[in-house]
Amino acid sequence: MNTHGEIEFLGTGTSTGIPVIGCDCEVCRSCDSKDKRLRTSAIVRIAGKSILIDCGPDFREQMLRATSSVLDMVLLTHSHYDHVGGIDDLRPYCYPDHFPVFAQCNVLEDLRERVPYCFTENPYPGVPQFKLNVADADHSIDFEGLHIEVLPIWHYKLLINGFRIGEHLAYITDAKAIDDAVVKILKGVDLLVINSLRKAPHMSHMSLEETLDAIKRISPKNAYLIHMSHDMGRHEDVSKELPDGVHFAYDGMIVRF
Ligand SMILES: [Zn+2]
Ligand SMILES: [Zn+2]
Ligand SMILES: [Zn+2]
């Protein structure tokens, strides 16, 4: 498989999105389009396939803005609303064939509860139809010639999925801690996408300092930060503070790997 491709960032914001409803901080009031962040999600295009990572509540708007609407599968990192809230909007992708979903067993169970009408014996005509595939941490996914490593990532006490897609790209969101075994797998990867919430510590998401430490351990050629809160600051200001090779991603950004 050709392991070069591109990632298009559909959303780079934390669960509230930016601007936060009713907030008048300088980030939420900023006119810079790079300070407007939908919920975190991305499309990875590699080996002729388009892989959606997470399907949050902004999914529909994100796909209307994306450079291509083609999708072949979705990888879910975990079942928090900001990562799965748009699942019903996958409807256009579910016909004629059921749309492939890859997630941990417990995430698939949560999906059945979130959209139960998709999983009844005789579903109402037109409801989304999914092909559920178990992708537990520490396993790999083989999908039509694509090879994806599933990485166990700590989101506080919840073990969620990170992904290494092909040789060059790793994608980690909502991490609070990354085990040494995962660092070993990712060591020196070309492009690391990784979450960073804000400067102050947080119980379940890495702060900027913690993210920069994780980046040092993994030592990728380039790292792109995602899942930012308005407390992180403005894109223009924070970008100047980042070390070489670390970039503040924004919605609509496309990076080739
Ligand atoms: Zn999240
Ligand atoms: Zn704000
Ligand atoms: Zn989460």
Side-chain angles (χ1 to χ4, degrees):
M1 118 183 195
N2 179 355
T3 56
H4 289 281
E6 66 175 29
I7 179 166
E8 179 168 357
F9 294 94
L10 300 180
T12 55
T14 189
S15 54
T16 54
I18 303 174
V20 177
I21 297 170
C23 182
D24 65 354
C25 78
E26 61 158 5
V27 178
C28 291
R29 276 187 293 116
S30 168
C31 297
D32 185 348
S33 62
K34 292 176 181 167
D35 288 323
K36 305 209 180 298
R37 300 180 184 278
L38 298 176
R39 268 59 72 91
T40 289
S41 173
I43 300 175
V44 175
R45 302 189 183 97
I46 183 171
K49 296 272 178 268
S50 295
I51 305 164
L52 175 68
I53 305 180
D54 287 330
C55 185
D58 300 316
F59 171 71
R60 178 176 175 279
E61 190 182 345
Q62 290 168 332
M63 290 315 293
L64 294 174
R65 286 183 189 182
T67 53
S68 162
S69 60
V70 173
L71 292 179
D72 296 296
M73 65 189 289
V74 60
L75 303 174
L76 300 177
T77 57
H78 62 305
S79 63
H80 287 163
Y81 178 76
D82 55 322
H83 298 265
V84 296
I87 206 83
D88 185 278
D89 286 325
L90 281 168
R91 201 173 285 233
Y93 297 96
C94 298
Y95 294 90
D97 299 319
H98 292 200
F99 190 69
V101 178
F102 290 81
Q104 288 179 10
C105 212
N106 66 81
V107 173
L108 298 177
E109 283 310 309
D110 287 350
L111 273 194
R112 288 176 189 277
E113 286 173 28
R114 189 173 291 277
V115 286
Y117 48 87
C118 299
F119 300 101
T120 54
E121 211 165 297
N122 293 302
Y124 193 79
V127 301
Q129 296 279 270
F130 300 112
K131 184 174 189 307
L132 302 183
N133 302 274
V134 176
D136 281 326
D138 261 339
H139 285 68
S140 56
I141 296 168
D142 286 292
F143 175 76
E144 297 178 8
L146 263 185
H147 184 75
I148 300 166
E149 294 285 334
V150 182
L151 311 166
I153 301 296
W154 290 107
H155 185 16
Y156 186 45
K157 290 181 180 170
L158 190 67
L159 201 57
I160 67 171
N161 284 352
F163 303 103
R164 182 172 184 151
I165 303 176
E167 203 180 319
H168 307 291
L169 172 75
Y171 187 99
I172 295 172
T173 190
D174 289 56
K176 175 63 182 176
I178 302 173
D179 288 341
D180 287 338
V182 172
V183 170
K184 209 171 160 188
I185 294 170
L186 298 184
K187 200 82 188 170
V189 68
D190 286 335
L191 199 166
L192 172 69
V193 176
I194 188 165
N195 62 291
S196 194
L197 188 71
R198 62 187 191 192
K199 288 171 183 163
H202 185 274
M203 188 177 66
S204 56
H205 297 83
M206 294 193 292
S207 64
L208 181 58
E209 196 184 328
E210 290 167 328
T211 303
L212 292 178
D213 181 59
I215 292 169
K216 241 188 219 156
R217 289 164 67 214
I218 294 169
S219 0
K221 292 207 175 75
N222 282 285
Y224 287 80
L225 308 185
I226 53 168
H227 210 285
M228 275 74 77
S229 122
H230 60 163
D231 294 323
M232 179 65 99
R234 296 186 51 219
H235 180 277
E236 198 187 343
D237 301 332
V238 180
S239 291
K240 289 179 198 152
E241 301 166 12
L242 297 176
D244 282 351
V246 181
H247 315 271
F248 207 39
Y250 55 85
D251 293 18
M253 185 185 212
I254 295 177
V255 180
R256 285 173 233 291
F257 56 86

